[in-house]
Amino acid sequence: MNWLEFALLHVDEPCTVRVEAPGRRAVPVGPCVIARRPEGFTVLCPPDTVAPPGSRITMPAGDTVEVVTAVHLAALGTRLPEHQQLDVAGHGVARRPCRASGRPG
């Protein structure tokens, strides 16, 4: 299963964010899965997403957050396909930017 198939199966509605990497224009990226953490959010994106630390992400509700950590994750036998994990920090982000509809299969 690739990232697009995974996101369409496990998210109620596809979620697109805008990513502005340092020195680059903002581009739409999706579908993404957004999960709340105590200190911010984790944004799971397609594997070709370019968003190093310091990149700015505009969430679906229009709030802007900053990428703190970016990690490319290979599937390596897990239930998640290859993807980019972006840990972001920011306050005032909408309570439900995207919701998971089920557990990864």
Side-chain angles (χ1 to χ4, degrees):
M1 175 179 309
N2 67 31
W3 180 254
L4 177 61
E5 293 166 334
F6 172 83
L8 293 176
L9 284 172
H10 296 286
V11 175
D12 289 335
E13 58 186 81
C15 185
T16 299
V17 298
R18 292 191 61 78
V19 176
E20 184 178 352
R24 296 181 179 220
R25 291 179 180 227
V27 295
V29 174
C32 295
V33 176
I34 301 173
R36 186 179 293 276
R37 296 180 294 113
E39 61 279 353
F41 291 85
T42 296
V43 182
L44 306 178
C45 297
D48 60 348
T49 301
V50 176
S55 298
R56 296 174 58 85
I57 296 180
T58 304
M59 305 295 273
D63 299 316
T64 301
V65 294
E66 184 174 323
V67 175
V68 177
T69 307
V71 180
H72 180 85
L73 298 170
L76 299 176
T78 67
R79 296 183 300 180
L80 289 174
E82 176 184 21
H83 65 283
Q84 192 78 3
Q85 176 178 315
L86 308 173
D87 293 327
V88 300
H91 299 288
V93 178
R95 289 198 177 274
R96 292 177 32 195
C98 290
R99 279 183 8 156
S101 64
R103 303 183 108 196

